[in-house]
Amino acid sequence: MDAAEFRCRGKEMVDYIADYLEKIEEQSVYPDVEPGYLHHLIPTEAPLEPEGFGEIMQDVEKVIMPGITHWHSPRFFAYFPTGSSYPALLADMLCSGIGCIGFSWAASPACTELETVMLDWLGKMLQLPECFLAGTHGRGGGVIQSTASEATLVSLLAARCKAVRWVQAEDATRSEADILSKLVAYTSEQAHSSVERAALIGAVLMRKVPTDDNYAVREETLKKMVEEDKAAGLIPFYFCATLGTTPSCAFDCIPELGPLCNRENIWMHIDAAYAGSAFICPEFRPLLNGVEYADSFNFNPHKWLLINFDCSAMWVKERADIIGAFKMEPLYLKHENQESGLVTDYRHWQIPLGRRFRSLKMWFVFRMYGIKGMQAHIRKQVGLAKEFESLVRADKRFEICAEVVLGLVCFRLKGSNELNQNLLKKITKSREIHLVPCQLSGLFVLRFAICARKTESRHIQQAWRHITQLAFELLQEQPH
Amino acid sequence: MDAAEFRCRGKEMVDYIADYLEKIEEQSVYPDVEPGYLHHLIPTEAPLEPEGFGEIMQDVEKVIMPGITHWHSPRFFAYFPTGSSYPALLADMLCSGIGCIGFSWAASPACTELETVMLDWLGKMLQLPECFLAGTHGRGGGVIQSTASEATLVSLLAARCKAVRWVQAEDATRSEADILSKLVAYTSEQAHSSVERAALIGAVLMRKVPTDDNYAVREETLKKMVEEDKAAGLIPFYFCATLGTTPSCAFDCIPELGPLCNRENIWMHIDAAYAGSAFICPEFRPLLNGVEYADSFNFNPHKWLLINFDCSAMWVKERADIIGAFKMEPLYLKHENQESGLVTDYRHWQIPLGRRFRSLKMWFVFRMYGIKGMQAHIRKQVGLAKEFESLVRADKRFEICAEVVLGLVCFRLKGSNELNQNLLKKITKSREIHLVPCQLSGLFVLRFAICARKTESRHIQQAWRHITQLAFELLQEQPH
């Protein structure tokens, strides 16, 4: 394919994407295929000779589309949202077209520098404390990670490295192996599984902290665990707080947990993967109070800030900490002065070496929406969640299972877990809307998350009618 | 921006990308900017109100393009290639447009299933042993990782987990902490820094294995180290072999190293990040002989197989090993039977949770080039490297520093390291072509890698004329 054909095919693809997104509502949100369906539809080997674009696009319709769960359908209410917007799609095209690999400043200066400035822009939108910004000579700064899982892992590794250093500074006779075997990390029992996995990867112990009635970690509980562990000879070194947990969008009490962590020399990382986007609205910013105590903070603009996956924003107070986690030789310290403000080799901030020019997506979206446009998006979606909450509350057969703070509503039919499992089975089978469950205090709960950019009030009303209709059928079927 | 404007702007972007790639040769390959240049060109905060697409595209020209190192310029010979082709760009657009997040089969069945089948297609192109393929009921299979660094890390974590299990199976009294502190991994002293970093992350000892005169690891050397380490009470558990090292594209002798690793219960991972693409040509496939002894194998189609970053292909013989590294609870084993052939939850195979629909890029490229088209691309680029090698060999002032096997030529001026450093400085400053150096046997060496898809013989000839002209000037300046 030469440039001339690309011009033609590329424009067809633009129309294909626009058509797909414009008509997405017409499709079943959840696909009707069995495991292995695709295997039967395509050859078992790559072709020897080239095939034409037309044939492939026919197969996209025949092979791919029937197997897609449509995350951007306004009838998709599962998981959490994944971002999508036209400005982000345009930026992603440009990113692919330029195709540079920005692992160091020199590998494409624009790629590194725009990222640093975009993370400062975003940090200012969130009113992050100055110490998290790169500015021109800052010791902190932001970086785009692929996912919140990676941000958690990177912060845990930085904390691990720092802990080994300070323990050895206090007692030079302790071996690294001995220290590693005594390190203990903490996170909420409600935290995402990726936090526990980060500890597995980092080969450190992780303890789950019980939560209060609002599914939030409180100071008292963590303090008790830390004291017990210290008494047992362990070394508390890391706490991953969650703002907006996956099951119920609960918020750990960081204004009280932060000072505890600071006193105890515990690295506090904040995972606000979903909720973080909301903090650009002044009315939701108080949920981030206490971030000033954190060592690192992360959220996913690729979830709720209209930016296509992947774009997970992470900030650290001390960039030297994060770089130190990947390079432990003293020799390396020679370079550390270079790592300040705008001069950055992002390969030292992340697990992979290569990286795409992802900050273009931020630049396009921030400018084409403006802060006001992004705030309007968040507010609209929170409003839709409140609308759904009201519908649930008005129906005495149902109950709300957790406070609705942002765009997630946790609800269930009053009654057994089995009843609610059956309701979800009916919902999934209908393929009209798509939800996933969670477990709260031993109860099987349905999560209704406002996801697609184009979800409107009518979709909420339709979804509720559909759910209540299925619930009615289910309750009719129940033995009295 | 609504769908109608996206149709219009998207088509403008297609033309912008086509223009950029068609005229890329006219630009200096390396940018003429100082650190911090971009900071002065854009505001310090995001705009409150939306801006238009036109303004942003003007800034792309003014702010971004001057700071780009043009990786797809036919005058770019630095690092290793990063893939780009029109079919891959089209597929990436579709991937962004669909915007699903394929962390589990259910999250978009097509995303998971196409990946499994594409990795089988590619595995067959490489003539990988059957045990690495998923088929419909295989115990092995392939996965797309973001980068080779992640593939190395994932394989090391899988090996670590497996080693802990077998050591404890032999002696149940040994603690995990004790075992971890005794584990030792190996890799070539020529291996990429990401291998050492994987060991840092995994908190295990890694020893660098000295290489022979061809910069290859040999059985004898590794065997001696393993025996020494075992005698010292350590537990050898992992060897990362490299096929096509970054400095000189050297090949570890896996046909002799593999049996050693198998005998010693050492997980052998093969990192063929760059060279792997060449193995689709029968004449280069013998370089992969010995893969049958490996536990895992990885290379980057996003380097040399015309696929845009990111797309790093990894295969394992036993998928249970890799999944086990991230979930150690016995409870988990209940799900393992589901993990076979086409039914896969790829989130258990990787560090991140989320994942793009990257297999679309493989599907489009494999079909639109056909195997023959991809082979032609590899052969052409190897031919260009041979052409450059001949030019160097014909000039008595220069020497070739390592055997030219694929698309990389390591060369230098006969003389001091300082002389060659000065030559590289002149080359970089000229911005006509772009190279990076390496160190081989203490010598400062220039690496000339054939990178861009559109590099032709004339670019090789021009580059050589340019290099010899600068060398001539340099040698004139030298004191006699």
Side-chain angles (χ1 to χ4, degrees):
Chain A
M1 181 179 283
D2 59 11
E5 194 188 348
F6 172 71
R7 286 177 201 271
C8 170
R9 299 313 188 185
K11 289 165 192 176
E12 288 173 29
M13 186 62 87
V14 167
D15 280 326
Y16 185 86
I17 292 167
D19 288 343
Y20 170 68
L21 292 173
E22 279 197 310
K23 295 180 193 158
I24 198 164
E25 204 176 329
E26 297 167 15
Q27 318 226 23
S28 285
V29 60
Y30 190 71
D32 184 18
V33 295
E34 292 297 315
Y37 87 95
L38 184 140
H39 194 251
H40 306 295
L41 299 175
I42 68 175
T44 55
E45 293 190 33
L48 267 180
E49 304 289 344
E51 296 180 63
F53 181 76
E55 288 169 80
I56 295 170
M57 288 309 289
Q58 277 174 17
D59 280 348
V60 167
E61 279 296 304
K62 199 179 85 189
V63 179
I64 302 301
M65 283 303 171
I68 295 291
T69 304
H70 300 288
W71 284 62
H72 303 291
S73 165
R75 298 189 277 116
F76 180 91
F77 304 104
Y79 313 111
F80 272 135
T82 184
S84 179
S85 68
Y86 292 122
L89 291 178
L90 292 168
D92 220 15
M93 287 167 66
L94 182 60
C95 164
S96 299
I98 293 174
C100 65
I101 305 297
F103 50 68
S104 68
W105 183 86
S108 257
C111 180
T112 293
E113 296 203 13
L114 187 67
E115 182 162 333
T116 307
V117 176
M118 284 307 103
L119 272 288
D120 273 4
W121 278 21
L122 185 54
K124 287 175 189 172
M125 281 186 232
L126 299 173
Q127 298 175 55
L128 282 187
E130 184 77 23
C131 53
F132 284 106
L133 305 182
T136 48
H137 296 89
R139 290 162 60 187
V143 61
I144 301 175
Q145 304 283 359
S146 288
T147 61
S149 314
E150 283 172 78
T152 304
L153 175 59
V154 165
S155 67
L156 180 132
L157 295 171
R160 188 186 72 178
C161 179
K162 205 176 170 184
V164 169
R165 283 194 192 135
W166 67 252
V167 175
Q168 284 187 329
E170 284 180 1
D171 179 358
T173 64
R174 294 189 76 165
S175 72
E176 192 175 318
D178 168 47
I179 299 168
L180 286 176
S181 71
K182 299 289 189 300
L183 292 178
V184 54
Y186 304 88
T187 197
S188 166
E189 59 181 10
Q190 296 286 321
H192 192 268
S193 59
S194 59
V195 182
E196 195 181 355
R197 210 157 75 139
L200 273 178
I201 294 169
V204 292
L205 181 65
M206 174 156 278
R207 293 191 62 192
K208 297 290 192 73
V209 187
T211 54
D212 69 6
D213 292 346
N214 294 317
Y215 306 109
V217 172
R218 305 302 301 262
E219 185 203 4
E220 209 180 335
T221 326
L222 180 60
K223 194 177 165 192
K224 195 158 155 275
M225 290 176 77
V226 166
E227 279 165 8
E228 281 169 12
D229 288 341
K230 281 163 69 180
L234 296 176
I235 308 166
F237 82 107
Y238 177 82
F239 170 58
C240 178
T242 310
L243 296 182
T245 58
T246 307
S248 67
C249 199
F251 291 79
D252 290 341
C253 295
I254 55 169
E256 55 181 50
L257 291 159
L260 168 68
C261 289
N262 289 177
R263 278 196 309 276
E264 296 287 348
N265 225 351
I266 292 172
W267 180 297
M268 184 165 84
H269 174 68
I270 297 174
D271 170 13
Y274 163 67
S277 298
F279 306 153
I280 64 166
C281 299
E283 68 272 33
F284 299 123
R285 176 56 178 78
L287 293 166
L288 186 58
N289 287 351
V291 67
E292 59 273 20
Y293 302 112
D295 296 280
S296 52
F297 168 70
N298 165 252
F299 85 99
N300 290 343
H302 71 229
K303 277 203 165 61
W304 206 14
L305 212 55
L306 299 156
I307 295 174
N308 282 62
F309 187 88
D310 54 325
C311 181
S312 181
M314 179 187 193
W315 291 265
V316 287
K317 264 188 192 152
E318 292 286 347
R319 55 171 69 199
D321 287 340
I322 200 172
I323 297 163
F326 297 116
K327 274 287 180 187
M328 292 162 103
E329 307 94 301
L331 181 67
Y332 183 75
L333 299 173
K334 282 204 280 185
H335 300 266
E336 224 163 74
N337 293 330
Q338 299 174 0
E339 272 284 338
S340 164
L342 291 165
V343 187
T344 298
D345 283 348
Y346 275 125
R347 72 180 182 280
H348 299 310
W349 294 53
Q350 60 175 24
I351 307 292
L353 177 67
R355 51 209 327 275
R356 281 165 64 90
F357 197 163
R358 294 173 291 196
S359 57
L360 286 172
K361 290 189 288 197
M362 296 178 129
W363 200 41
F364 275 51
V365 169
F366 295 167
R367 294 182 68 182
M368 295 188 72
Y369 275 88
I371 294 175
K372 285 186 180 172
M374 292 183 282
Q375 288 172 336
H377 169 68
I378 298 288
R379 285 172 181 146
K380 177 178 164 189
Q381 298 219 319
V382 175
L384 292 172
K386 297 282 183 194
E387 180 177 343
F388 186 79
E389 182 192 9
S390 305
L391 293 167
V392 177
R393 285 199 191 276
D395 188 324
K396 293 207 169 118
R397 296 169 299 176
F398 287 89
E399 59 189 344
I400 293 288
C401 309
E403 191 192 351
V404 178
V405 182
L406 298 172
L408 176 68
V409 184
C410 290
F411 73 107
R412 68 196 299 279
L413 273 170
K414 290 172 186 163
S416 71
N417 282 349
E418 197 193 346
L419 182 70
N420 283 282
Q421 280 159 357
N422 287 334
L423 176 58
L424 184 63
K425 270 184 205 157
K426 274 182 177 282
I427 293 172
T428 305
K429 206 176 155 197
S430 79
R431 296 197 298 276
E432 271 287 306
I433 61 174
H434 193 49
L435 305 184
V436 291
C438 70
Q439 205 174 34
L440 292 174
S441 309
L443 294 179
F444 186 90
V445 168
L446 279 66
R447 292 171 77 264
F448 187 93
I450 311 298
C451 289
R453 184 172 57 83
K454 289 173 72 181
T455 305
E456 303 288 345
S457 172
R458 68 184 167 89
H459 302 109
I460 304 302
Q461 298 290 336
Q462 282 165 11
W464 182 243
R465 275 198 300 276
H466 181 65
I467 292 167
T468 48
Q469 174 63 34
L470 295 180
F472 177 78
E473 290 169 20
L474 185 68
L475 294 168
Q476 293 287 101
E477 293 160 15
Q478 292 290 111
H480 289 282
Chain B
M1 181 179 282
D2 59 11
E5 194 187 349
F6 171 71
R7 287 176 198 272
C8 171
R9 300 312 188 186
K11 289 165 193 176
E12 287 172 31
M13 186 61 87
V14 167
D15 279 326
Y16 185 86
I17 292 167
D19 287 345
Y20 169 69
L21 292 172
E22 279 196 311
K23 294 179 192 157
I24 198 164
E25 203 176 329
E26 295 167 17
Q27 319 225 24
S28 286
V29 61
Y30 190 69
D32 184 19
V33 294
E34 292 297 316
Y37 88 95
L38 183 139
H39 195 250
H40 306 296
L41 299 175
I42 68 175
T44 54
E45 292 188 34
L48 267 180
E49 304 288 344
E51 296 180 64
F53 182 75
E55 288 169 79
I56 295 168
M57 288 309 289
Q58 277 174 18
D59 281 349
V60 167
E61 278 296 302
K62 202 179 84 188
V63 178
I64 303 300
M65 283 302 171
I68 296 290
T69 304
H70 300 287
W71 283 63
H72 303 290
S73 165
R75 297 190 278 113
F76 181 93
F77 304 105
Y79 313 109
F80 272 134
T82 184
S84 180
S85 68
Y86 293 121
L89 292 178
L90 293 169
D92 221 15
M93 288 168 65
L94 182 60
C95 164
S96 299
I98 294 175
C100 65
I101 305 297
F103 50 69
S104 68
W105 184 86
S108 258
C111 180
T112 293
E113 296 203 14
L114 187 68
E115 183 162 333
T116 307
V117 176
M118 284 306 105
L119 272 287
D120 273 4
W121 277 23
L122 185 55
K124 287 174 190 173
M125 281 187 233
L126 299 172
Q127 298 174 52
L128 283 187
E130 184 77 24
C131 52
F132 285 105
L133 305 183
T136 47
H137 297 89
R139 290 162 60 187
V143 60
I144 301 176
Q145 304 283 0
S146 288
T147 62
S149 314
E150 284 171 77
T152 304
L153 176 58
V154 165
S155 67
L156 180 132
L157 295 172
R160 187 186 72 177
C161 179
K162 204 175 170 185
V164 169
R165 284 197 192 133
W166 66 252
V167 175
Q168 285 186 330
E170 284 180 1
D171 179 358
T173 65
R174 293 190 75 165
S175 73
E176 191 173 321
D178 168 49
I179 298 167
L180 285 176
S181 72
K182 299 290 188 299
L183 292 178
V184 54
Y186 305 88
T187 196
S188 167
E189 60 181 9
Q190 297 286 319
H192 194 268
S193 58
S194 58
V195 182
E196 197 181 354
R197 210 156 74 137
L200 272 177
I201 293 170
V204 293
L205 180 65
M206 175 157 273
R207 294 191 62 192
K208 298 290 193 72
V209 187
T211 54
D212 69 7
D213 293 346
N214 293 318
Y215 306 108
V217 172
R218 305 300 302 263
E219 185 203 2
E220 209 180 337
T221 325
L222 180 61
K223 193 177 167 193
K224 196 158 156 277
M225 290 176 79
V226 167
E227 278 165 7
E228 281 169 12
D229 289 341
K230 281 164 67 179
L234 296 177
I235 308 166
F237 82 106
Y238 177 82
F239 170 58
C240 177
T242 310
L243 296 182
T245 59
T246 307
S248 67
C249 200
F251 292 78
D252 289 343
C253 295
I254 53 168
E256 56 182 48
L257 290 158
L260 168 67
C261 290
N262 289 178
R263 276 196 310 275
E264 297 288 346
N265 224 351
I266 292 172
W267 181 296
M268 184 164 86
H269 174 69
I270 298 175
D271 170 12
Y274 163 67
S277 299
F279 305 153
I280 64 165
C281 300
E283 67 272 33
F284 300 123
R285 175 57 178 77
L287 293 166
L288 185 59
N289 287 350
V291 67
E292 59 274 19
Y293 302 111
D295 296 281
S296 52
F297 168 70
N298 166 253
F299 84 99
N300 290 343
H302 71 229
K303 279 203 164 62
W304 205 14
L305 211 55
L306 299 156
I307 295 175
N308 282 62
F309 187 88
D310 54 324
C311 182
S312 181
M314 179 187 193
W315 290 265
V316 287
K317 263 187 196 155
E318 293 285 347
R319 54 171 69 200
D321 287 341
I322 200 171
I323 297 163
F326 297 117
K327 275 285 181 190
M328 292 162 102
E329 306 95 302
L331 182 67
Y332 183 73
L333 299 174
K334 282 204 280 187
H335 300 265
E336 223 162 78
N337 292 332
Q338 299 173 1
E339 273 284 340
S340 165
L342 291 166
V343 187
T344 298
D345 282 349
Y346 274 127
R347 71 180 184 281
H348 300 309
W349 294 53
Q350 59 174 23
I351 307 292
L353 176 68
R355 52 206 331 273
R356 281 164 65 88
F357 197 163
R358 294 172 293 197
S359 57
L360 286 173
K361 291 189 287 195
M362 295 177 133
W363 200 41
F364 274 51
V365 169
F366 295 167
R367 294 182 67 180
M368 295 187 72
Y369 275 89
I371 294 175
K372 284 186 181 171
M374 293 183 282
Q375 287 171 337
H377 169 68
I378 298 287
R379 285 172 181 146
K380 177 178 165 188
Q381 297 219 320
V382 175
L384 292 171
K386 297 281 182 194
E387 179 176 345
F388 186 80
E389 181 192 10
S390 304
L391 293 167
V392 176
R393 286 199 189 275
D395 189 324
K396 293 212 167 112
R397 296 168 300 177
F398 288 87
E399 59 188 344
I400 293 289
C401 307
E403 191 191 350
V404 178
V405 181
L406 298 172
L408 175 68
V409 184
C410 291
F411 72 107
R412 69 195 299 278
L413 273 169
K414 289 171 185 164
S416 69
N417 282 349
E418 196 193 347
L419 183 68
N420 282 284
Q421 280 159 357
N422 288 334
L423 176 59
L424 184 62
K425 272 184 202 154
K426 273 182 179 279
I427 292 171
T428 305
K429 208 175 153 198
S430 78
R431 295 198 298 278
E432 272 286 307
I433 60 173
H434 193 49
L435 305 183
V436 293
C438 70
Q439 205 173 34
L440 290 174
S441 309
L443 295 178
F444 186 92
V445 168
L446 280 65
R447 291 170 78 266
F448 187 93
I450 311 299
C451 288
R453 184 172 56 84
K454 289 173 69 177
T455 304
E456 303 288 344
S457 172
R458 68 185 166 87
H459 301 109
I460 303 302
Q461 298 291 335
Q462 282 165 10
W464 181 243
R465 275 199 299 278
H466 181 65
I467 292 166
T468 50
Q469 176 62 33
L470 295 179
F472 177 78
E473 289 169 23
L474 185 70
L475 293 166
Q476 291 288 99
E477 292 159 15
Q478 292 289 108
H480 289 283

